[in-house]
Amino acid sequence: EVRCCSDTRIDGWKKRSSNCPWTESDDGMGGCHHEETLSEAEEVCADAGARLCSKQELKSDCTKGTGCGHDRDLIWTSNAMP
């Protein structure tokens, strides 16, 4: 599943706290994105003027409640696997 983050404000996107970036799951992204590959997820975020969120941003609930029912789903991150 895809959720995107931006270090700069994007209209309609949410910022849950001062420690979080602006985040979204569908607004400005062409709707919800399910079952995308990593490269497709990166492209979705880049096309929205954003990036994939980091693992820490997801663990900090920065993207919680941003839509598409992804709060309990596996989400692509910008972190490489160990």
Side-chain angles (χ1 to χ4, degrees):
E1 316 297 0
V2 182
R3 285 188 158 167
C4 301
C5 288
S6 176
D7 297 317
T8 58
R9 184 177 189 274
I10 297 177
D11 286 341
W13 288 34
K14 296 169 183 67
K15 184 174 178 78
R16 293 183 56 83
S17 75
S18 61
N19 296 328
C20 289
W22 297 93
T23 62
E24 190 53 67
S25 297
D26 57 354
D27 189 27
M29 298 169 49
C32 297
H33 294 271
H34 307 279
E35 300 179 22
E36 305 286 0
T37 65
L38 174 59
S39 61
E40 290 168 337
E42 290 171 326
E43 185 175 341
V44 166
C45 292
D47 287 349
R51 58 174 172 77
L52 289 177
C53 303
S54 71
K55 182 179 177 180
Q56 186 57 47
E57 289 165 340
L58 293 173
K59 287 179 79 174
S60 297
D61 285 335
C62 291
T63 64
K64 185 176 180 180
T66 59
C68 301
H70 292 330
D71 284 350
R72 296 187 183 268
D73 294 341
L74 295 174
I75 306 293
W76 285 112
T77 71
S78 58
N79 300 82
M81 292 292 293

